[in-house]
Amino acid sequence: MTQQRDVVVVGGGQAGLAAGYHLRRRGLDFVILDADAMPGGSWQHMWDSLHLFSPAEHSSLPGRLMPAQAGETYPGAGHVVNYLADYEKRYDLPVQHGTRVKAVHHDTDRLLVEADSGTWRARAVISATGNWSRPFLPAVPGHSTFTGRHLHTVNYRSPADFAGQRVVVVGGGNSGAQIGADLALDGRVEVTWVTRRPPRFLLDDIDGRALFGVATARRRALDAGRIDTGGVASLGDIVAVPSVRTARDAGLLTAKPMFTRLTVTGVRWADGSQSNADAIVWCTGFRPALSHLAPLNLRGSRGRIPTDGTRALGEPRLHLLGYGDWTGPASATLIGVGRTARDAARAITQQLS
Ligand code: FAD
């Protein structure tokens, strides 16, 4: 049976919940369809030792401050999962977990949302499916010849899985640095960290609070037609969270330039020498998870859909939330997504009236 809603939100991670909060405030009739069986979005799949790069009070969704985690300045991923589960319940958000959206189609005056458990006709759709389910692996010569384990950030859980092994961690962003530090500090793993360019650490006293401030200042500057300051990217790539700082200061987190190819047993360096490895952990980022929107034929470059704010340029009834700065400054962060969600809910309300 086909159900009707004003708005269908696809994805029930932090972005989908923030959308739900603002849709509810505007009195719209909506449902949130989420592929995961449990609340928490991608946070429930992240590695055991992961901590936020901002304190709890600077990592909150609209309406409800994240409580502090006892004994931790920077809350762990499990704490975020609990917060999101509580948020969902507190605002009685209509999330249908375990419901994967397969496709969104045009359907005369509506959009048709086809999920594995039913079909919804909607006057507007917010896509908030994040990036976690689309890990990106670069093409590297010899990839398929390597007989050890290939993992991506999404498959990494803890150093215990690599005790006694030689692991090459690839990637100069936060995931690479944090997983490299996690493995190096454990003491049982021989870690080699490789990056395409020398790693750029942010100053030690810069955490997510300062980053959000910089992102906000950039947005104001752009809105006012002033010069683009370059925002957060101009400061560096890696937040020196405590584990990264400890490993770096102990000399355990020193990056090597990228290897030239993979061999059967490991990697070959630019000078022709080789190192053996049992596993390669690719911390090489993500692409937006947008395959359910393929029937709408909206694809732009880099796997994105061109938008004006959150609204898709080619389909005004479709909004994209989260994913990255391209859907709104800091839209892929806990503290930043609230504002973009508010803007999307406002635009949809205007459209429906
Ligand atoms: P997700 O959390 O990925 O949620 C998407 C939801 O959509 C999931 O529940 C999924 O099941 C569902 N879904 C996907 N496809 C479908 C489909 N076809 N049908 C139905 N449902 C679907 N941000 C911060 O603010 N602070 C930090 O410290 C921080 N650290 C980070 C560390 C790492 C390693 C990473 C990767 C990110 C970090 N971020 C941080 C960034 C950001 O907060 C996360 O990426 C965040 O999880 C994005 O939320 P989201 O709701 O957009 O997507």
Side-chain angles (χ1 to χ4, degrees):
M1 196 183 72
T2 302
Q3 304 182 52
Q4 310 269 352
R5 290 287 187 284
D6 284 339
V7 188
V8 171
V9 181
V10 187
Q14 64 200 39
L17 299 187
Y21 173 88
H22 284 292
L23 293 171
R24 165 70 43 79
R25 285 184 65 138
R26 290 182 169 273
L28 294 174
D29 172 37
F30 67 98
V31 65
I32 302 174
L33 307 177
D34 187 60
D36 271 295
M38 303 294 288
S42 56
W43 294 103
Q44 65 193 290
H45 305 296
M46 293 189 191
W47 62 92
D48 298 350
S49 70
L50 180 77
H51 282 71
L52 294 183
F53 51 67
S54 308
E57 70 272 21
H58 293 275
S59 306
S60 302
L61 295 182
R64 165 122 175 96
L65 266 187
M66 182 186 288
Q69 182 178 9
E72 302 279 0
T73 307
Y74 300 100
H79 187 73
V80 182
V81 173
N82 293 340
Y83 168 71
L84 294 179
D86 174 69
Y87 190 91
E88 197 176 304
K89 224 189 287 168
R90 175 173 292 257
Y91 292 109
D92 195 21
L93 296 174
V95 187
Q96 291 198 14
H97 283 289
T99 304
R100 176 170 293 281
V101 171
K102 294 185 289 186
V104 178
H105 302 272
H106 292 119
D107 181 37
T108 57
D109 59 336
R110 297 282 192 273
L111 289 170
L112 197 67
V113 179
E114 197 190 321
D116 49 12
S117 63
T119 306
W120 281 261
R121 290 183 83 236
R123 299 171 73 195
V125 167
I126 296 179
S127 185
T129 46
N131 303 320
W132 188 258
S133 57
R134 268 204 75 202
F136 172 75
L137 277 103
V140 172
H143 187 99
S144 56
T145 55
F146 177 60
T147 51
R149 273 198 293 165
H150 283 288
L151 295 95
H152 186 270
T153 307
V154 299
N155 313 113
Y156 177 76
R157 288 312 295 200
S158 96
D161 299 331
F162 303 92
Q165 297 188 4
R166 295 151 301 185
V167 180
V168 176
V169 177
V170 184
N174 285 298
S175 303
Q178 287 186 35
I179 289 176
D182 198 34
L183 289 166
L185 291 171
D186 180 76
R188 290 173 293 175
V189 188
E190 190 184 316
V191 190
T192 307
W193 182 35
V194 300
T195 59
R196 263 189 209 289
R197 61 178 185 183
R200 299 189 316 147
F201 292 96
L202 289 140
L203 295 175
D204 286 1
D205 58 352
I206 294 186
D207 65 13
R209 286 170 286 199
L211 294 180
F212 187 69
V214 171
T216 305
R218 180 183 187 219
R219 181 189 168 118
R220 292 209 180 105
L222 291 175
D223 287 351
R226 295 198 300 272
I227 293 171
D228 187 351
T229 54
V232 170
S234 64
L235 300 178
D237 299 320
I238 301 167
V239 182
V241 294
S243 62
V244 167
R245 211 179 305 163
T246 306
R248 182 200 61 194
D249 294 351
L252 300 171
L253 197 62
T254 315
K256 289 184 77 151
M258 187 69 186
F259 46 81
T260 53
R261 63 169 297 119
L262 289 167
T263 64
V264 175
T265 55
V267 299
R268 181 179 300 152
W269 305 103
D271 64 4
S273 63
Q274 299 192 21
S275 302
N276 289 334
D278 299 294
I280 316 281
V281 185
W282 297 94
C283 302
T284 42
F286 300 86
R287 294 289 181 264
L290 298 175
S291 60
H292 56 294
L293 301 176
L296 300 175
N297 284 324
L298 300 170
R299 274 289 165 95
S301 60
R302 300 167 70 190
R304 299 176 182 177
I305 288 179
T307 55
D308 176 15
T310 58
R311 193 194 291 275
L313 285 181
E315 172 46 85
R317 295 168 296 184
L318 173 68
H319 290 257
L320 290 107
L321 199 60
Y323 301 110
D325 277 355
W326 56 281
T327 68
S331 164
T333 63
L334 283 154
I335 195 172
V337 73
R339 188 158 57 186
T340 350
R342 183 198 61 197
D343 294 347
R346 184 195 295 136
I348 289 172
T349 309
Q350 283 164 1
Q351 172 204 328
L352 299 190
S353 60

